[in-house]
Amino acid sequence: MKAKIAEIFDSVQGEGLYLGEKQIFVRFFDCNLKCSFCDTKLDRFMEYEPQELFKEIKLYNNRYHSISFTGGEPLLCKDFLKEILKLTGKHGHRHYLETNGTLAAELEELIEHIDIVAMDLKLPSSTGMGELWDKHRSFLKIARRKEVFLKTIICQSTEENDLKQALELIKEVSPGSILILQPNSNENHGALNEKLSKFKKICGQERVTACVIPQIHKIVGVR
Ligand code: SF4
C-alpha cells in the first residue's frame, strides 16, 4: 500500500488556532478539489509504504506539538493514513488533520486516531466551485467527536450569504466551534480588511466565535 507524499518537514504551524506550535508536517500530494485560491502548487512526490514513512517520522524527536497531516487532501489515502496513525500513535505522537472537510466516510474510519481536526469550509463564492454544504455537514457531524475548529478563506469575491450559510451550519452541527476567517494570501490584505471586519461582526451577531488570522508563515517567511 503506497501513498504519494509531496514533502515531510518540521516547522511551526502558520495558520489557524494552533499558530506557532512546532509540528512535523506530512503533505499528501493529491487533492479532490480545485479551489481558485489554491496556493499548494505541488509538482513532485515520493511514494511511501507506511513503514517507510514511519521511519522518516522517527528521525524527528517527540518534542513536537503534533504531526500535521496536510495536503492536498490526506483523507484520499485513508487506508495508508490509518496505518501511519496507528504507528505514530503508539510512538506517542498527537495527530492534527488539515482537511478540506468533504470526505466524511473516510473520516469516519479514522476519527478514533485523530486528536485535532482543522476543517475547511469552502464557500462557493470564494472557491469558484459548486456548493459543498451537504458534504461539510456530514463531515462536521463526525469531526465534532474530537477537537475541531473551522477555517474559511475570505476573498474579494466572497459573498455575505455564503458566510451566513456557513454560520448556520456551525450552529446546527457543532455549536461552540471556532471559525477562523483567513484572508486569501494571493490578494491584497489591505483591500480585504473592511470585508473581514464586517464578516467578524456578522459572526458575533450570529453568536459564532470568529478570529481573523492570516497565514503568518508567509508573512514572516518561514516554510
Ligand atoms: S482543498 Fe486545499 S489543496 Fe485542495 S485545491 Fe483546495 S486549497 Fe488546494
Side-chain angles (χ1 to χ4, degrees):
M1 183 199 324
K2 290 195 173 193
K4 292 177 186 171
I5 305 294
E7 51 183 354
I8 307 162
F9 60 101
D10 65 336
S11 187
V12 289
Q13 178 56 249
E15 57 185 52
L17 280 189
Y18 285 85
L19 188 72
E21 293 287 359
K22 276 185 78 181
Q23 290 183 314
I24 302 164
F25 291 82
V26 177
R27 186 180 302 286
F28 288 73
F29 183 75
D30 290 315
C31 188
N32 56 327
L33 300 183
K34 278 195 167 64
C35 308
S36 61
F37 50 71
C38 184
D39 57 0
T40 313
K41 307 288 180 221
L42 304 175
D43 56 6
R44 68 190 71 177
F45 61 83
M46 293 251 303
E47 287 197 307
Y48 285 86
E49 292 282 353
Q51 280 290 354
E52 291 169 338
L53 179 61
F54 182 50
K55 217 167 152 186
E56 287 230 10
I57 291 173
K58 278 201 294 189
L59 297 176
Y60 298 91
N61 58 41
N62 274 22
R63 290 196 297 275
Y64 290 87
H65 173 271
S66 48
I67 305 174
S68 171
F69 295 96
T70 186
E73 175 49 57
L75 289 173
L76 287 174
C77 301
K78 63 133 170 92
D79 294 331
F80 176 93
L81 195 49
K82 197 172 194 173
E83 288 309 306
I84 274 294
L85 293 171
K86 283 185 200 163
L87 292 167
T88 50
K90 275 188 205 150
H91 227 238
H93 289 283
R94 282 201 289 174
H95 300 144
Y96 178 103
L97 176 68
E98 296 202 56
T99 170
N100 61 34
T102 57
L103 301 174
E106 287 78 355
L107 181 67
E108 177 70 64
E109 286 194 39
L110 298 177
I111 190 71
E112 64 177 299
H113 302 289
I114 304 289
D115 297 290
I116 301 162
V117 182
M119 173 185 166
D120 287 350
L121 278 178
K122 302 290 189 186
L123 308 187
S125 53
S126 301
T127 61
M129 298 185 300
E131 298 190 355
L132 293 167
W133 302 119
D134 289 344
K135 287 187 193 303
H136 283 330
R137 181 173 289 99
S138 307
F139 193 94
L140 188 53
K141 280 181 182 169
I142 299 165
R144 72 183 174 190
R145 293 184 212 152
K146 295 297 178 80
E147 181 180 342
V148 59
F149 70 90
L150 299 110
K151 185 187 78 189
T152 197
I153 305 291
I154 304 300
C155 313
Q156 297 278 15
S157 62
T158 308
E159 292 172 8
E160 200 174 303
N161 276 346
D162 280 352
L163 175 73
K164 287 186 171 161
Q165 212 159 329
L167 297 175
E168 284 309 312
L169 192 148
I170 295 169
K171 286 193 291 183
E172 173 200 327
V173 181
S174 188
S177 288
I178 294 174
L179 175 65
I180 309 296
L181 303 174
Q182 184 173 299
N184 179 8
S185 55
N186 301 322
E187 292 183 38
N188 182 304
H189 283 194
L192 284 172
N193 278 346
E194 204 177 313
K195 179 171 271 192
L196 287 161
S197 307
K198 187 177 175 196
F199 279 14
K200 186 163 172 14
K201 201 168 162 193
I202 293 170
C203 294
Q205 287 161 353
E206 295 294 328
R207 304 203 173 284
V208 173
T209 304
C211 315
V212 176
I213 307 181
Q215 289 181 302
I216 297 296
H217 54 296
K218 291 192 179 157
I219 297 171
V220 300
V222 295
R223 196 174 181 187

